[in-house]
Amino acid sequence: MNIIDKIPALTPNQRKIVIWAVGGILAIIILGIIVTLSVRGKLLDSAVLKVKSTLLDRYDIDFQTSQYKFSGLKTVTFNDIVLLPKDRDTLARIEKMSVSVRIWPLLFGDVKLGRLGLVNSKVTLVKKDSVSNYDFLFKKEQKVPTVQRDSSTNYAALIDGVIKQVFFKIPSDMELSNFEASYQDDSLFQKIRLPTAAVDGGDFQVALFLNDHDAQWNFAGSVNPDKQQLHVEISSENENAELPLLRRKLGLGISFNKIVFDLSRVNRISHDSLTLSGSWGFEDLKVNHPRLSQEDIILPEATAEGQINIGSRALEIDPKSTIRAKDFAFQPYVKFIPKPDKEIELSIHTQRFKAQDFFDAIPAGLFESLEGIKVDGEIAYDLDFKVNLKNPDSLLFSSRIDDKNLKIVNWGRANINSLNTAFTYHAYEDTVLMREIVLGTENPNFTPLSSIAPILRKTLLNTEDPYFYEHSGFEEEAFKLSIITNIKEEAFKRGASTISMQFVKNVFLNRNKTMMRKFEEILLVWLMEASNQVSKDRLFEIYLNVIEWGKNVYGIKEASKYYFGKLPSELTLGESLYLSSIVPRPKTGLASFEYTGHLKPWVMRHFNTYGSILRRRGQLTDEVVPANYGFYQVTLESNLRPPRPKGIVDTGFVERDPQHEAMMREMEQDEVRRRNLLERLFGKDSTNNEMQ
């Protein structure tokens, strides 16, 4: 017995009820179709007028078409469409456009495109001087003031709505014939062409051409608007074919062999929770920009797969997501809460991995000093970072690396081992080579560490890097303070460079001030310190012999002769404190002195701050400490003293110099930032004591 046999037979009355019900539904549908067909012309007229009015009122764009009509039950055809911004060049011309709406989703209130056809379409972006025919895209709508605005935003619902709108506008079937988009300004003209393009049941394969045939990119994949899935592969027919406009407009060159993007799932867990799952990857990606590197940055391959979680208030990269480059892979966790205070959270916790896999994954051309490096052993890395941008003092920052088994088999371009013998240091000012300094006994100005006054070494360490001999190249508290300060100032006002970092930057790296160079500096310092191939004393010795102490004054021997006519071994406490004060701004060193050759009163703050630290750390046990730590005993060489100001009397009055006063204020601000770090390192008592 089958299932149908189990269904009880309908009585005559039940049959009548079913027949009448079905007949009634069909009658309603037929009546709806008849009514719709009878009024659809008016509805179309109303819709077109609304589009015209909206474009004109919001964007000053005149929408023109010679004819529009229904073709069949659900297709509308437009002829000779023109989009003409007011007092601008024509934005778009379309000879013929046909668009159909899918009936079934429409019954449930969703407007989804069924089929789209475009014939002989041309979109032209024109910019003349500062006037363009596309500036309406950047026009800000005037906000209507309200008594009270709801500050809460449900990001899950917002992004879900955007995704739906995008996919609803993607037709399941599309046919383009002779589509062209171009950009033109006073010095550039470029266009992209699609001779033919088609989407058939969601599958597509399109060839896009740059100009006549300068380059060709092939698009292939599939799109499912109902399931909101998208898979696209973009491949280049031409080697090193750069994406248009970026080089001319941004100085950025980007080319690739293949890029793959896949949005596999949109999961609506609830009104307040949305997840997007998918992956992306590329082959032979090449990037060129002078702010990144002087050479092409080449990434042979990389992939990322995982999930983005979107809640009502936060967005996060799921911790199970994986980024892979060659054989190196890691799983980052990123969380962003936009409102009310903008909170950012980042964490990376790797298992032990082969160190060489990490260096092999670094793109060629990105870190020049590390190219060719060979290492052995396994390492593990842990990073935890969290900050509220409205309350940066709450910063959480912790960075740890387990590199006990790391061994350097062969250095790259930056051969750290060479530091143990005499070598030539190239002193630059920005990108201009100023001097070549030999770091060895053949240079008469080279001064061994043992021939430098101990008090100078102590004062310089306290001002530049108090725990140089204890840390492994990085001072975590300095990093924290740097981040906090820069967030508060909303600009890069403070770095976190230790002596090791300054050393690597000056000796091994180029002078390009980029974020990539800072990362390169961090990596090289880590390797240098982890290798233990150069002693701390040798690093400090080289540092003292190469740093700038004034205009074209390099090394401690030149500095001690230049300012005081002494050898480095003869420097006193006061002279050492003065020299330590000018390291951050060496070219302003002479501005600290009066015409009499004595220090100006404002420099006393530095003396009392760092002199107090020396005393509290027990570093003055063998010193006879004069008043204010030798401030009054510092005397500049007579030939460097500024002339007596005109009209001056011996009361000490000097005419105001606004430029000089501005420089002094900036130097004092630097001093405040340095004291903030000292408070974290030594406690407030050490910096507040004897400050006045």
Side-chain angles (χ1 to χ4, degrees):
M1 179 183 293
N2 57 34
I3 296 176
I4 296 178
D5 293 333
K6 294 181 180 180
I7 299 176
L10 296 176
T11 65
N13 287 335
Q14 289 174 331
R15 288 194 185 96
K16 289 181 181 180
I17 293 173
V18 170
I19 292 172
W20 277 104
V22 173
I25 293 173
L26 290 174
I28 292 173
I29 293 175
I30 293 171
L31 179 61
I33 293 174
I34 293 173
V35 171
T36 300
L37 291 174
S38 64
V39 300
R40 65 177 184 168
K42 293 182 180 179
L43 293 175
L44 180 59
D45 289 338
S46 176
V48 172
L49 287 174
K50 184 177 180 180
V51 170
K52 285 186 174 183
S53 176
T54 300
L55 289 175
L56 190 61
D57 293 343
R58 288 189 181 182
Y59 308 113
D60 286 333
I61 293 179
D62 183 16
F63 174 85
Q64 302 173 3
T65 178
S66 65
Q67 184 185 34
Y68 57 89
K69 63 180 180 179
F70 275 97
S71 301
L73 179 63
K74 56 182 181 178
T75 302
V76 179
T77 302
F78 295 84
N79 292 325
D80 302 320
I81 294 176
V82 177
L83 295 180
L84 183 62
K86 185 178 180 181
D87 301 324
R88 303 285 195 274
D89 294 271
T90 300
L91 178 63
R93 288 183 182 273
I94 303 173
E95 184 178 306
K96 185 177 181 179
M97 181 177 77
S98 59
V99 57
S100 65
V101 178
R102 297 163 62 187
I103 298 298
W104 184 252
L106 188 61
L107 297 177
F108 295 91
D110 294 332
V111 180
K112 295 185 178 181
L113 296 183
R115 184 176 183 83
L116 174 65
L118 294 174
V119 178
N120 296 334
S121 309
K122 181 179 289 187
V123 177
T124 306
L125 305 178
V126 180
K127 183 176 182 179
K128 296 178 179 178
D129 296 327
S130 59
V131 178
S132 68
N133 67 343
Y134 53 88
D135 50 13
F136 67 90
L137 295 171
F138 310 102
K139 182 179 179 181
K140 294 183 179 180
E141 296 185 12
Q142 294 183 351
K143 294 183 179 180
V144 179
T146 57
V147 177
Q148 184 175 3
R149 185 182 295 272
D150 185 7
S151 60
S152 63
T153 300
N154 188 331
Y155 291 101
L158 177 64
I159 294 176
D160 185 29
V162 172
I163 291 173
K164 287 180 178 178
Q165 289 299 316
V166 170
F167 275 98
F168 285 176
K169 299 301 185 290
I170 298 177
S172 55
D173 295 284
M174 180 179 69
E175 187 173 351
L176 274 66
S177 176
N178 192 24
F179 175 87
E180 179 182 302
S182 64
Y183 173 84
Q184 180 179 355
D185 60 21
D186 296 330
S187 60
L188 176 67
F189 175 80
Q190 286 192 336
K191 66 180 178 181
I192 56 174
R193 299 183 298 110
L194 283 76
T196 59
V199 178
D200 185 6
D203 297 326
F204 58 88
Q205 192 165 348
V206 180
L208 183 148
F209 298 90
L210 175 63
N211 299 324
D212 293 328
H213 209 119
D214 292 347
Q216 176 182 340
W217 292 278
N218 299 320
F219 292 70
S222 61
V223 58
N224 189 324
D226 293 329
K227 294 184 178 181
Q228 295 168 19
Q229 296 174 332
L230 174 64
H231 177 82
V232 58
E233 295 185 8
I234 309 172
S235 58
S236 176
E237 285 284 326
N238 311 87
E239 187 177 357
N240 300 324
E242 292 187 355
L243 297 180
L245 297 179
L246 297 179
R247 174 73 71 175
R248 182 67 66 90
K249 292 298 180 181
L250 304 175
L252 174 64
I254 297 180
S255 64
F256 56 86
N257 182 30
K258 179 185 286 188
I259 291 179
V260 179
F261 174 80
D262 183 73
L263 176 61
S264 58
R265 187 182 183 195
V266 178
N267 186 18
R268 295 171 178 83
I269 300 172
S270 68
H271 181 69
D272 297 332
S273 182
L274 176 73
T275 64
L276 308 178
S277 303
S279 63
W280 62 264
F282 54 77
E283 296 177 6
D284 297 325
L285 178 67
K286 182 181 293 185
V287 180
N288 182 279
H289 195 283
R291 289 294 185 90
L292 296 176
S293 173
Q294 295 300 306
E295 306 293 334
D296 289 335
I297 300 171
I298 303 173
L299 295 83
E301 60 174 317
T303 60
E305 57 182 350
Q307 181 173 289
I308 298 176
N309 303 323
I310 305 167
S312 60
R313 293 183 58 248
L315 301 89
E316 69 176 17
I317 295 177
D318 193 273
K320 295 181 180 179
S321 302
T322 301
I323 296 176
R324 181 180 300 276
K326 292 187 177 180
D327 294 327
F328 174 68
F330 66 100
Q331 295 177 311
Y333 172 73
V334 182
K335 185 176 182 180
F336 177 49
I337 302 177
K339 293 181 180 180
D341 295 340
K342 287 188 180 179
E343 297 180 36
I344 301 171
E345 185 174 349
L346 167 66
S347 65
I348 298 174
H349 299 283
T350 73
Q351 302 297 322
R352 297 191 68 81
F353 60 90
K354 292 182 179 180
Q356 189 62 50
D357 289 346
F358 169 75
F359 290 102
D360 288 344
I362 295 176
L366 187 61
F367 301 143
E368 298 175 11
S369 66
L370 297 177
E371 290 183 2
I373 190 169
K374 297 296 179 183
V375 299
D376 189 24
E378 293 185 340
I379 59 176
Y381 180 66
D382 295 282
L383 170 69
D384 290 290
F385 173 87
K386 186 176 181 180
V387 65
N388 183 319
L389 297 183
K390 291 293 182 65
N391 181 25
D393 289 318
S394 65
L395 172 75
L396 168 68
F397 178 84
S398 176
S399 177
R400 301 171 301 279
I401 188 166
D402 181 357
D403 55 6
K404 295 179 182 177
N405 298 325
L406 179 67
K407 294 181 180 179
I408 312 298
V409 178
N410 183 56
W411 290 99
R413 293 188 182 182
N415 186 0
I416 300 297
N417 266 332
S418 66
L419 301 177
N420 289 312
T421 58
F423 69 97
T424 301
Y425 168 72
H426 297 84
Y428 282 88
E429 186 171 316
D430 293 327
T431 59
V432 178
L433 178 63
M434 302 296 293
R435 301 262 295 278
E436 291 186 352
I437 302 173
V438 176
L439 275 301
T441 54
E442 53 266 50
N443 177 5
N445 283 330
F446 177 78
T447 307
L449 192 63
S450 59
S451 298
I452 300 173
I455 192 60
L456 183 278
R457 302 191 324 243
K458 294 174 185 177
T459 56
L460 194 64
L461 285 173
N462 281 333
T463 56
E464 293 301 298
D465 193 353
Y467 293 106
F468 169 72
Y469 280 93
E470 284 79 27
H471 64 58
S472 58
F474 308 98
E475 176 51 60
E476 192 167 289
E477 284 298 326
F479 266 97
K480 290 181 182 179
L481 182 62
S482 173
I483 296 170
I484 292 170
T485 301
N486 295 334
I487 291 173
K488 289 180 177 179
E489 299 285 345
E490 296 184 352
F492 189 79
K493 292 290 186 179
R494 178 183 177 84
S497 292
T498 60
I499 284 178
S500 298
M501 296 173 73
Q502 295 178 49
F503 176 90
V504 162
K505 177 181 66 176
N506 289 330
V507 174
F508 290 111
L509 302 184
N510 60 47
R511 295 305 181 266
N512 301 322
K513 296 181 179 180
T514 67
M515 186 63 71
M516 292 301 103
R517 195 195 69 173
K518 177 58 70 173
F519 290 144
E520 184 177 8
E521 176 185 317
I522 291 172
L523 287 174
L524 196 54
V525 168
W526 162 52
L527 290 171
M528 179 181 70
E529 295 274 357
S531 71
N532 292 318
Q533 293 181 7
V534 184
S535 69
K536 288 278 191 175
D537 279 347
R538 175 59 175 169
L539 291 177
F540 193 32
E541 179 181 77
I542 297 173
Y543 176 80
L544 289 170
N545 277 274
V546 301
I547 61 172
E548 187 179 11
W549 300 81
K551 188 174 181 180
N552 202 27
V553 178
Y554 293 93
I556 185 59
K557 191 168 187 177
E558 289 186 19
S560 57
K561 283 185 177 180
Y562 179 74
Y563 291 104
F564 308 119
K566 290 185 175 183
L567 293 173
S569 59
E570 300 171 337
L571 292 170
T572 65
L573 170 62
E575 292 162 346
S576 298
L577 283 168
Y578 161 74
L579 288 174
S580 71
S581 75
I582 67 173
V583 171
R585 292 176 174 271
K587 289 184 175 59
T588 64
L590 293 177
S592 302
F593 289 95
E594 302 277 14
Y595 74 96
T596 60
H598 294 95
L599 290 169
K600 293 180 178 179
W602 63 267
V603 186
M604 189 180 295
R605 177 177 295 179
H606 176 90
F607 272 63
N608 287 339
T609 297
Y610 291 96
S612 174
I613 290 172
L614 286 165
R615 179 178 57 80
R616 294 175 67 86
R617 297 189 74 186
Q619 296 176 328
L620 295 179
T621 53
D622 298 329
E623 302 284 337
V624 177
V625 183
N628 294 100
Y629 303 100
F631 174 84
Y632 298 105
Q633 282 71 47
V634 178
T635 306
L636 181 67
E637 286 283 88
S638 59
N639 62 307
L640 297 178
R641 299 174 189 177
R644 180 195 295 259
K646 294 180 179 179
I648 192 172
V649 293
D650 288 336
T651 60
F653 171 78
V654 181
E655 296 179 359
R656 291 183 67 248
D657 181 349
Q659 185 175 2
H660 180 265
E661 291 179 358
M663 181 183 68
M664 293 300 104
R665 285 194 298 270
E666 190 170 354
M667 293 177 69
E668 289 195 38
Q669 289 173 1
D670 280 347
E671 196 66 38
V672 170
R673 297 187 187 105
R674 295 168 77 183
R675 286 202 307 276
N676 288 339
L677 174 59
L678 293 173
E679 288 178 1
R680 287 176 174 267
L681 294 175
F682 303 120
K684 289 189 176 182
D685 289 344
S686 65
T687 56
N688 290 336
N689 188 49
E690 302 183 52
M691 285 288 291
Q692 303 300 325

